Amino acid sequence: MTRPRPPIGPAMAGAVDLSGLKQRAQQNAPASAAEGAKTAGPGGPGGTEISEANFEDQVIIRSDEVPVVVLLWSPRSDVCIELRDALSGLAAADKGTWSLATVDVDAAPRVAQIFGVQAVPTVVALAAGQPISSFQGPQPADQLRRWVDSLISATAGKLAGATSSEDVEEVDPAAAQARAHLEAGDFVAARTSYEAILEADSGNAEAKGAIRQIDFLTRASGQRPDAVDVADAAPADIEAAFAAADVQLLNQDVSAAFNRLIALVRNTSGDDRTKVRTRLIELFELFDPADPEVIAARRNLANALY
């Protein structure tokens, strides 16, 4: 099977796995992120402009100490500029409790490629080298404030950086092998590896999340490309709607996918409604629970049900 391009981009929880980059960065890291900042270029509360040269130090390593909010933007977009200014203001007001990193996708396309960016502006928050939340497009100032506050709250007391060998998390060989299969696009081998991890540790969150994503990728990449048109022509066909939602998620049209199934919940009853609701919740679980689109969709689903 041809390896599909990464789905959903950074919005999908865990879809962008930077663990390999983090490991390399730690091996080559300066004594502290502050030391690395000496050569990082313009920075401070207003944000650090990210290039290939300083990406590892100012994004991956820095996120061991405080949450790093990465803004992928273009100076050709007024919306991007407005969002950059809004985030810069919040970063300045918060005085170092989190770090703003800005990536001009035109000037640093390879950095943008790491995040699987399909549109700008895209914002990805990282902690301990991994994405923990994200969104695309403009956001109201009050929602931005709440989003940043949620990042600070979620990481409070959990980020201190690795200061000694005792602080460095031991790499699980089984997990490393599973990640390697996943990064290589070998979904069968990756799923087998993660299943073995779950057999030994039934509560392993990484394995559970990875299997959900692998199953989604396998199913969605096999849907017919005109699935959306087919579903639009038969709005009462549940299976057609499921296929269309998969394709829309794969193409990062997240709200449209959620709204399609929420509309179907409104128009069904009994077992059919339960079936649609179950699929929708499964799709929610692919994302960070704090993702604004997931929060909105859960609220809309509750309204549709009650």
Side-chain angles (χ1 to χ4, degrees):
M1 179 177 67
T2 302
R3 181 187 181 188
R5 61 184 177 79
I8 313 307
M12 179 178 284
V16 184
D17 191 338
L18 303 180
S19 56
L21 278 173
K22 179 183 177 184
Q23 190 174 27
R24 288 202 307 274
Q26 287 175 330
Q27 291 170 353
N28 301 312
S32 69
E35 180 181 337
K38 295 177 183 178
T39 57
T48 300
E49 184 64 27
I50 299 301
S51 65
E52 290 183 56
N54 67 1
F55 173 75
E56 292 185 350
D57 287 341
Q58 293 303 305
V59 176
I60 304 300
I61 293 299
R62 179 63 171 154
S63 72
D64 275 334
E65 300 183 354
V66 294
V68 174
V69 173
V70 180
L71 167 64
L72 298 116
W73 74 297
S74 169
R76 296 180 285 106
S77 165
D78 290 340
V79 171
C80 286
I81 293 171
E82 291 173 4
L83 183 56
R84 180 200 61 185
D85 292 345
L87 287 170
S88 295
L90 291 175
D94 290 346
K95 299 179 180 179
T97 55
W98 58 280
S99 178
L100 175 62
T102 60
V103 179
D104 180 342
V105 297
D106 300 320
R110 291 186 63 182
V111 176
Q113 186 178 18
I114 290 172
F115 290 94
V117 173
Q118 300 294 319
V120 292
T122 290
V123 176
V124 184
L126 295 92
Q130 290 296 315
I132 58 173
S133 185
S134 64
F135 64 83
Q136 290 184 344
Q139 301 292 328
D142 59 341
Q143 188 162 314
L144 273 181
R145 177 72 270 174
R146 289 195 299 271
W147 184 76
V148 169
D149 287 345
S150 72
L151 296 178
I152 297 172
S153 176
T155 57
K158 299 178 181 178
L159 299 176
T163 58
S164 71
S165 59
E166 294 180 355
D167 295 326
V168 179
E169 181 180 356
E170 184 178 352
V171 176
D172 180 351
Q177 184 63 56
R179 292 171 196 150
H181 287 316
L182 190 56
E183 290 171 4
D186 190 343
F187 296 152
V188 174
R191 197 182 198 288
T192 299
S193 295
Y194 278 118
E195 285 175 343
I197 291 173
L198 280 181
E199 286 181 7
D201 177 11
S202 61
N204 189 287
E206 177 185 342
K208 289 180 178 179
I211 288 174
R212 281 196 297 266
Q213 290 190 23
I214 291 167
D215 289 347
F216 168 77
L217 280 170
T218 302
R219 185 184 72 228
S221 61
Q223 303 290 7
R224 51 190 294 175
D226 62 345
V228 173
D229 292 335
V230 171
D232 288 345
D237 188 328
I238 293 176
E239 294 302 327
F242 286 173
D246 282 351
V247 170
Q248 287 173 311
L249 285 183
L250 203 60
N251 292 329
Q252 300 196 31
D253 198 355
V254 178
S255 293
F258 288 164
N259 289 339
R260 176 183 297 278
L261 298 188
I262 290 168
L264 199 55
V265 167
R266 290 193 180 97
N267 296 321
T268 52
S269 61
D271 291 344
D272 284 346
R273 171 177 278 200
T274 299
K275 183 178 181 180
V276 178
R277 174 181 173 275
T278 299
R279 172 59 66 90
L280 192 53
I281 291 173
E282 288 175 356
L283 296 182
F284 289 162
E285 290 176 348
L286 295 170
F287 293 80
D288 186 329
D291 188 296
E293 288 179 297
V294 174
I295 293 173
R298 285 189 180 277
R299 182 171 59 249
N300 292 336
L301 173 60
N303 292 336
L305 287 169
Y306 307 109

